[in-house]
Amino acid sequence: GFPIYDEVYDGKKYWLLEQKAFKRLDATGFTFAELSALYFSRTLVECLAATPFQQDVKSAFDRLAAALTPGMRTFLDRLRLVIQAKPDPGAQSASARPKEIAQLLDATLQHRRVVMRYHSFSSEREKAYTVEPSRLVFAQGALYLMAYVPEYSQVRTFAVDRIKSLSLTEERFEPVESDEAVFAHSLGVHHGTPEQVEIVFEPRIAPYLRERMWHSSQTVRDEADGRIVVALNVSNDFALRSWILSFGALAKVIHPRALAEENEAECSRMVGRDRE
């Protein structure tokens, strides 16, 4: 669907991609609202530091700015002063693995198997994997590779930052399409079987909890004393436990009991560490 053409150099034919692939926009144009939204989105895109397209995105927006009149550009530049975006804490740096990310994108699009060495936190050692990449996911300030591992006959998640080396093979694979959202049952970047979780929050934190959507399965129930019960159908993982503990004594797990006991034990270990 992209316009290409051929040219001959030194007796050899080369196929080239039309550089002005979107020249039809010259006729349709952007509305001022669309232009404002696109121009402001630069602030959001710049938060996605760990992408191989960062320099291309910067170049695209510079060209967009050059097409504006000085007055329009001055006005739109003011948007960045009054509406801003903040990267997630711990986000990867702008120079995070651009070569490897580009290779993974190529492998994913071309359905090529990848051989890589990966530092596994669970085993605390480097391991060799042959994987079939299915998608790259940007979540919580970092990039993750979702890939099928034939050795284990399952899809696994790899943090791109912990890939020590990789190479693309000429072996092709048939991708398994999936409409399921990535990490759909987790508050973080985990996989797991969802279960019903209920947490009661104290009145003074209740308005903050109510105004936000923490998970798509979320429901909120009011209590007579001003407290609220937030119910979630999520996996019981590190992200969930960390989220609950972040509210300290303002949150209490009422279901399931096993989760309440895990958090209680974690709090006891924290107190013990403080007293050492």
Side-chain angles (χ1 to χ4, degrees), residues 74-115:
T74 299
F75 174 78
L76 292 174
D77 279 337
R78 290 174 57 197
L79 289 178
R80 303 176 68 186
L81 301 178
V82 298
I83 309 176
Q84 297 184 348
K86 181 179 182 294
D88 290 336
Q92 292 175 328
S93 66
S95 59
R97 322 301 296 276
K99 178 182 176 182
E100 289 84 354
I101 296 168
Q103 286 179 298
L104 290 172
L105 278 174
D106 184 38
T108 304
L109 292 170
Q110 302 299 326
H111 306 153
R112 296 170 63 181
R113 284 198 174 100
V114 169
V115 176

Side-chain angles (χ1 to χ4, degrees), residues 236 252-266:
N236 182 355
K252 178 183 177 182
V253 176
I254 57 178
H255 183 79
R257 182 59 196 166
L259 176 58
E261 292 173 351
E262 288 175 14
N263 284 352
E264 183 178 353
E266 183 68 18

Side-chain angles (χ1 to χ4, degrees), residues 104 108 116 118-137 143-160 162-163 176 182-183 189-192:
L104 290 172
T108 304
M116 68 182 187
Y118 181 77
H119 180 78
S120 170
F121 277 179
S122 59
S123 63
E124 297 184 348
R125 64 185 178 91
E126 285 189 19
K127 298 173 64 175
Y129 291 90
T130 297
V131 301
E132 300 175 355
S134 59
R135 68 183 79 178
L136 284 166
V137 182
L143 270 175
Y144 295 88
L145 170 68
M146 310 291 295
Y148 179 76
V149 185
E151 181 182 357
Y152 303 121
S153 299
Q154 61 182 217
V155 175
R156 292 199 171 184
T157 303
F158 302 91
V160 172
R162 296 203 294 274
I163 296 175
V176 178
V182 180
F183 311 128
V189 289
H190 302 279
H191 297 280

Side-chain angles (χ1 to χ4, degrees), residues 20-36:
K20 295 183 178 179
F22 300 102
K23 59 184 180 181
R24 286 183 59 193
L25 288 176
D26 292 343
T28 59
F30 288 112
T31 67
F32 185 71
E34 291 170 340
L35 185 61
S36 298

